[in-house]
Amino acid sequence: MIEKQIIMTPETHPLTWRLRKDKKPVWMKEYCSKNGYIGAKIALNTMLSSELIALISESGLKGRGGAGFPTGLKWSLMPKDNLIKKKYLICNADEMEPGTYKDRLLMEQMPHQLIEGMLITAFALNTYRGYIFLRGEYIDAAIHLRKAINEAYEANLLGNNILNSNFNFDLIIHTGAGRYICGEETALINSLEGKRANPRFKPPFPANVGLWGRPTCINNVETLSNIPAIVANGVSWYKNISKSPDTGTKIMGFSGRVNNPGLWELPFGITAHEILEDYACGMKTGLKLKAWQPGGASTDFLTNEHLHLPMEFLSITQAGSRLGTAIAMAVDDKINMVSLVLNIEKFFARESCGLCTPCREGLPWSVKILHDLEQKQGKPGDIEILQQICQNLSPGKSFCAHAPGAVEPLQSAIKYFREEFEDGIISTMPVDIQPIAGIQPNDYKIKFI
């Protein structure tokens, strides 16, 4: 199958139309020649902070980090009192979700777009300092961002009295130490403060008590990269480029054993089937699609029957999964689901911060059971125990969203491919581990105290 030819224009691909074919970074001179910092000039020279917040709220922009929380609403939670001099803006650039690499693309090849988005956001929220919390392994992104930040300072687009607007904003890069839990915003704040990356109690929320006890707004790289185009082109345009109630475009993709794995900026509402066939060019020869995850390792598996769904927050949620980062992973028919889920749960068990018992104990327990099932040494009742673990790690039963996300692939794999889990159970149990008389495997229950 031939890869679909994409014509990228400012009207249809606001995030990626400036990308170079040689994949080299777009530096200041070229970025400005391609309408760069137009949005920042409009915002700082002609708009009030309240007008910017209203504009982003009206645009319908949702967070692109995975949760899909309305950006304008998050901004509106920040205190409006200009007497509060120390407020912070943090860009979550940790991107530790397995299979996701969209933010890396934007930072490595389009660093000024992120800087412009942060500048406009900082002006809207009256924050005097910003941090890019960057995944430590993203070496090239760090190098390119530092160079772009230096260019922005030289052009009076960062620092004091930016564009003669009397607005001051400094931007700092902080490279993380490589922990998945830093995707949770309060764990990220703790890490940035030099503490252990554990989530914090909420409330208070970061908008009131965040970095060093000050009001703090945290947005994802892709979210912030949308801001300049919305300010420059307006709300109507932004809504009209979508095929869905979710507005704007989204960087989506497919990985796995497909013919053309990659990333593409696409309108919300395009179907997963279109992305898989027209952009990823289908499965490799001799392979069939068995399952797919819509947006990262922490999303529930879906099957072939769900490929017709539009890639948007509500439709994927109603199907029993989450859009997440919208970077899908294709699972082919040669892969054993028990082995795949075991690999995923090993990662999440290792990345647990250990703060709460359900996550700290439940995830390693699931790994042990899955290992037994993979080795064909499982016991009757093991699948039921796994299902009970999933229930005890469901939303609201652990300190943060790490545990619920970790068990999503497990619970969905059992739902759709239970027979593969049953194949790992020993048909005849040794006498010394027979169930107690009168107790059936389905009666096994797990309770966390």
Side-chain angles (χ1 to χ4, degrees):
M1 185 178 292
I2 300 174
E3 179 184 356
K4 186 170 183 176
Q5 295 299 311
I6 306 172
I7 300 175
M8 295 192 294
T9 69
E11 293 75 25
T12 59
H13 293 76
L15 293 174
T16 58
W17 71 273
R18 298 182 181 93
L19 292 178
R20 297 169 57 98
K21 291 183 179 180
D22 61 8
K23 298 184 180 181
K24 291 183 179 180
V26 177
W27 300 119
M28 173 68 80
K29 183 177 179 180
E30 182 179 358
Y31 184 69
C32 289
S33 71
K34 295 178 177 178
N35 300 330
Y37 290 103
I38 294 295
K41 292 175 182 176
I42 292 173
L44 271 66
N45 293 328
T46 69
M47 299 183 72
L48 300 174
S49 296
S50 58
E51 293 174 332
L52 277 170
I53 295 174
L55 178 74
I56 298 305
S57 296
E58 187 182 354
S59 75
L61 174 65
K62 293 182 178 179
R64 304 299 201 242
F69 191 81
T71 304
L73 177 57
K74 176 176 275 194
W75 286 14
S76 70
L77 298 176
M78 289 283 284
K80 310 299 187 299
D81 188 353
N82 290 330
L83 295 177
I84 302 175
K85 297 301 181 183
K86 290 188 176 181
K87 292 188 283 188
Y88 296 101
L89 171 64
I90 300 176
C91 171
N92 186 346
D94 200 47
E95 196 167 50
M96 284 286 287
E97 185 69 30
T100 296
Y101 41 98
K102 62 183 180 61
D103 294 343
R104 178 183 178 182
L105 168 74
L106 293 173
M107 290 185 290
E108 288 184 352
Q109 299 186 39
M110 196 67 62
H112 278 287
Q113 184 171 253
L114 173 59
I115 294 170
E116 183 181 6
M118 292 192 72
L119 172 58
I120 297 170
T121 305
F123 180 74
L125 304 178
N126 194 30
T127 58
Y128 86 113
R129 183 177 295 167
Y131 291 90
I132 299 176
F133 189 97
L134 181 64
R135 177 175 174 174
E137 293 86 351
Y138 280 2
I139 305 299
D140 288 342
I143 293 171
H144 297 172
L145 282 167
R146 287 192 178 101
K147 179 177 177 179
I149 287 172
N150 289 336
E151 289 185 327
Y153 271 106
E154 291 173 1
N156 187 225
L157 291 163
L158 289 174
N160 296 325
N161 193 24
I162 300 171
L163 298 175
N164 297 315
S165 65
N166 293 320
F167 177 66
N168 306 327
F169 180 63
D170 288 307
L171 186 56
I172 300 167
I173 294 176
H174 176 91
T175 52
R179 295 297 298 178
Y180 180 87
I181 196 63
C182 288
E184 200 281 335
E185 60 183 16
T186 60
L188 182 155
I189 290 173
N190 271 344
S191 180
L192 189 54
E193 291 180 351
K195 301 172 184 174
R196 181 172 176 172
N198 287 342
R200 296 178 177 181
F201 284 102
K202 291 185 285 188
F205 293 93
N208 297 114
V209 182
L211 185 64
W212 292 300
R214 302 289 184 171
T216 304
C217 181
I218 305 173
N219 287 131
N220 171 261
V221 171
E222 188 183 355
T223 310
L224 292 162
S225 295
N226 272 274
I227 304 299
I230 296 174
V231 174
N233 300 311
V235 168
S236 296
W237 159 80
Y238 191 70
K239 290 181 174 180
N240 288 335
I241 57 176
S242 172
K243 299 179 179 180
S244 160
D246 293 323
T247 58
T249 60
K250 178 80 181 69
I251 295 182
M252 306 186 195
F254 255 100
S255 61
R257 286 193 263 194
V258 295
N259 286 305
N260 184 41
L263 300 171
W264 306 274
E265 183 182 2
L266 300 167
F268 277 109
I270 189 172
T271 67
H273 182 269
E274 288 178 87
I275 303 173
L276 177 61
E277 295 299 328
D278 295 345
Y279 294 88
C281 300
M283 303 298 295
K284 287 185 177 294
T285 303
L287 299 176
K288 296 180 181 179
L289 182 72
K290 180 177 184 176
W292 58 289
Q293 288 180 293
S298 63
T299 56
D300 292 80
F301 288 102
L302 297 175
T303 64
N304 274 285
E305 68 183 54
H306 302 109
L307 283 174
H308 69 282
L309 292 173
M311 292 290 280
E312 60 184 17
F313 290 100
L314 181 59
S315 294
I316 300 298
T317 300
Q318 290 177 337
S321 186
R322 292 182 297 110
L323 182 65
T325 62
I327 310 299
M329 181 183 75
V331 180
D332 62 79
D333 59 346
K334 304 297 183 183
I335 293 178
N336 180 274
M337 294 302 294
V338 175
S339 298
L340 174 57
V341 173
L342 172 59
N343 189 49
I344 293 173
E345 297 308 318
K346 281 182 178 178
F347 171 81
F348 285 121
R350 184 182 73 238
E351 292 298 323
S352 171
C353 76
L355 184 61
C356 64
T357 302
C359 187
R360 182 182 64 247
E361 305 298 332
L363 294 179
W365 194 353
S366 72
V367 169
K368 182 182 183 302
I369 294 174
L370 288 166
H371 180 268
D372 290 344
L373 292 173
E374 184 190 43
Q375 299 300 314
K376 309 294 184 183
Q377 296 297 313
K379 301 181 289 296
D382 276 354
I383 298 175
E384 288 72 25
I385 291 175
L386 288 174
Q387 290 176 316
Q388 192 68 33
I389 289 174
C390 291
Q391 291 178 17
N392 281 285
L393 270 65
S394 59
K397 297 182 180 179
S398 60
F399 196 81
C400 75
H402 178 83
V407 297
E408 283 188 29
L410 173 58
Q411 65 189 13
S412 56
I414 295 174
K415 175 182 177 181
Y416 292 116
F417 305 100
R418 186 184 179 100
E419 67 280 0
E420 295 188 29
F421 290 81
E422 292 173 344
D423 286 344
I425 296 175
I426 302 172
S427 57
T428 304
M429 294 179 63
V431 175
D432 60 341
I433 57 171
Q434 285 286 349
I436 299 172
I439 304 295
Q440 300 300 316
N442 286 345
D443 294 330
Y444 295 167
K445 297 292 181 183
I446 304 165
K447 292 183 179 179
F448 293 112
I449 300 176

